[in-house]
Each structure stands twice: as structure tokens, then as C-alpha cells.
Amino acid sequence: MNRDETVKRMKKQLDDWNTQIDDWEKQMNDAQANMKSRYEEQLDTLRHQREEGMSKLKEIQGSSEAAWADMSKGFEEAWQHLAEGFDKAWSEFRGKEQQGDDSK
């Protein structure tokens, strides 16, 4: 995958994450008081993951084609790790949300 395709894929993923975070923030604002602290903790994790993704995007956008060729494999692995972390945080968030629904 070349750098431009990777940048395009990353931008789409970041846009998706931003949409999910916005949705979760709305849910958090509607949650019962005891759930808000749990939501906020997960949202902090998700925000951190998003910031790491944005940092990586800026890094590759500023790289030359030659530098991209050298760093692409390591970058793909780092991006995959970041995406897995976001997915894990999402799963934990959904689990906590469902537990909160059960207690209503």
C-alpha cells in the first residue's frame, strides 16, 4: 500500500473514531451519575488512542516517499496496534454500557 492510500485509509478511520467518540460523549451525558465516571474513563482512553492516530498521520504525511518506503512496515504494525486498542476500548465501553442498562 502506498503512502497516499495509507493516508486516505487513516483519515477515514480517524473520522470514524471521531464519530464514535462524539456518540459516546452524548451517551455519557445522558447516563446515570454512577455510569458517567466509567464512561469518562473509557472516553479518555479512546481520546488518547485517537490522538496517537492523529500524530501518526501527521508523521507519514510529512515523510518523503523514500522515508515512507523505509518506515511503511513498522508503521502498518503500529497502526494495527492502535486500531486494536481502540476496538478493545470500544468493547469495554459497550460492556459497561450494557451493564448499566441491566441495572435500570
Side-chain angles (χ1 to χ4, degrees), residues 22-84:
D22 289 344
D23 289 345
W24 299 332
E25 285 174 335
K26 289 174 189 170
Q27 290 178 23
M28 182 187 71
N29 290 331
D30 294 338
Q32 296 176 349
N34 65 343
M35 290 298 294
K36 284 187 179 184
S37 64
R38 289 194 235 170
Y39 279 174
E40 190 59 44
E41 182 180 315
Q42 286 305 120
L43 282 168
D44 285 344
T45 300
L46 294 170
R47 288 181 191 115
H48 178 74
Q49 296 283 20
R50 177 188 60 194
E51 293 302 316
E52 284 187 43
M54 291 170 63
S55 176
K56 293 286 184 190
L57 175 61
K58 288 177 184 176
E59 182 180 334
I60 68 161
Q61 283 180 316
S63 68
S64 67
E65 286 295 324
W68 169 247
D70 289 341
M71 65 189 257
S72 64
K73 183 178 183 205
F75 176 80
E76 287 293 329
E77 290 172 6
W79 185 258
Q80 181 64 33
H81 176 72
L82 187 62
E84 288 169 0

Side-chain angles (χ1 to χ4, degrees), residues 81-93:
H81 176 72
L82 187 62
E84 288 169 0
F86 196 92
D87 290 343
K88 181 180 178 204
W90 162 246
S91 294
E92 290 175 10
F93 179 89

